[in-house]
Amino acid sequence: MASDNTSKPKPILITFDVDGTLIRAVGSNANKWHKDAFAFAMHEVFSIDTNIDVIKHHGSTDQLVLADVLKHHGFEETEIWRKMDELKSAMVSFAEEHKADAGLGLEILPGVEKLLQTLSERENIIVALVTGNLEPIAWRKMDTLGIKKYFTEKNNNFIGGFGSDHTERSELIKFAAQRSAEAFDLNVSEMHKPGAVFKERAHFGDTPNDVTAALDGGAIAIALETGVFSGDELQKHFTVPIRCHLLKDLTDTDAVLHACGLPEASEL
């Protein structure tokens, strides 16, 4: 994408949550690699044997999951956050050492690969991740399941906002927008003016936190009934209904494109 952006239509930034949105955990080893990374880190840094299922963690970010599990076991919050960098490093070290297990208990959700391929083939569409996963863990999942190739790459870097960047999802939406603008030499100083940098931004997620984050971060919220939350539960968070859409899943590519404000295949 050239630095003179007047010659092309403004890009559209489309971001995806990972767990429950693009992929799902299945079987007795559901999401085992990621969960084991959490367990290893907490044992390594705090000498405690535990797992993340002692708390409700759907829609959270990896740093908050670590903090909430440790608080559940009585550790002081100040001590937890003082050692958060150690915890993150331990998670990533474990994940890389056991990367052959990254796909264990995971599968791509229906319609995902077709949608990502369709988006990746369209000019002026930036496809990125916004996920609570730590960045190396998120991309390892995408690579292992064979769908990393559909995400936008610039100068050998893939774009997104991750749980390693911040604890709050709305900030991750902003990280993805900022990085996209920087990668494609867009006007970062105009970032907070609607329509000034991107024609539009859309975020897909399966939890209420995804909906809230999308709206707070300046994106259209496209909520999916592919996780543990019902459509009714998701719609309770549609505080700006005109900027919210509810889809059962991603199997109807044309319906997804329409929700993003993109022309359907038949319209091209």
Side-chain angles (χ1 to χ4, degrees), residues 41-262:
M42 289 183 284
H43 177 80
E44 186 78 1
V45 179
F46 282 90
S47 302
I48 184 173
D49 292 317
T50 187
N51 63 76
I52 65 172
D53 291 327
V54 299
I55 64 164
K56 292 182 179 180
H57 51 76
H58 295 288
S60 191
T61 56
D62 281 9
Q63 292 188 71
L64 287 181
V65 171
L66 287 164
D68 288 346
V69 171
L70 291 164
K71 284 189 289 184
H72 172 83
H73 288 290
F75 291 96
E76 292 293 329
E77 189 162 2
T78 53
E79 177 71 358
I80 294 168
W81 288 102
R82 188 176 70 81
K83 294 186 175 182
M84 186 57 69
D85 284 345
E86 291 179 57
L87 288 163
K88 290 189 290 182
S89 294
M91 279 188 70
V92 171
S93 294
F94 177 92
E96 286 303 303
E97 185 176 349
H98 297 85
K99 62 186 179 183
D101 298 329
L104 194 64
L106 296 176
E107 68 180 19
I108 303 169
L109 279 160
V112 165
E113 184 156 15
K114 180 183 176 184
L115 173 63
L116 291 177
Q117 182 175 3
T118 299
L119 292 172
S120 70
E121 292 171 350
R122 296 215 176 178
E123 192 175 11
N124 297 313
I125 302 296
I126 299 172
V127 186
L129 288 181
V130 167
T131 171
N133 289 191
L134 302 182
E135 183 172 4
I137 289 176
W139 287 124
R140 180 64 63 186
K141 288 179 183 179
M142 298 296 93
D143 194 26
T144 300
L145 294 173
I147 55 177
K148 185 179 180 181
K149 61 189 175 185
Y150 299 120
F151 290 87
T152 302
E153 182 182 8
K154 184 71 171 180
N155 298 326
N156 296 317
N157 290 313
F158 289 86
I159 300 167
F162 304 91
S164 35
D165 296 319
H166 203 278
T167 58
E168 299 300 326
R169 282 183 178 265
S170 59
E171 293 302 314
L172 306 187
I173 297 277
K174 296 173 187 177
F175 268 104
Q178 182 86 7
R179 287 169 176 160
S180 298
E182 291 171 351
F184 290 98
D185 196 22
L186 305 174
N187 193 342
V188 177
S189 65
E190 298 285 304
M191 182 65 68
H192 300 298
K193 296 181 181 179
V197 176
F198 302 98
K199 181 179 178 182
E200 188 55 272
R201 290 186 278 147
H203 176 64
F204 288 80
D206 65 293
T207 73
N209 282 348
D210 286 300
V211 174
T212 301
L215 296 175
D216 289 349
I220 293 171
I222 303 179
L224 302 171
E225 296 181 80
T226 48
V228 300
F229 295 95
S230 69
D232 287 342
E233 290 173 307
L234 293 166
Q235 285 181 304
K236 288 177 182 178
H237 299 268
F238 284 15
T239 55
V240 187
I242 196 171
R243 296 188 59 78
C244 297
H245 300 271
L246 178 67
L247 298 175
K248 183 175 178 59
D249 54 34
L250 295 174
T251 55
D252 186 340
T253 303
D254 280 346
V256 177
L257 296 174
H258 180 75
C260 294
L262 295 168

Side-chain angles (χ1 to χ4, degrees), residues 19 23-36 52-53 57-58 101-107 141:
D19 299 296
I23 64 176
R24 64 184 167 199
V26 294
S28 58
N29 289 319
N31 205 19
K32 178 175 169 54
W33 172 74
H34 195 176
K35 287 185 174 183
D36 284 352
I52 65 172
D53 291 327
H57 51 76
H58 295 288
D101 298 329
L104 194 64
L106 296 176
E107 68 180 19
K141 288 179 183 179

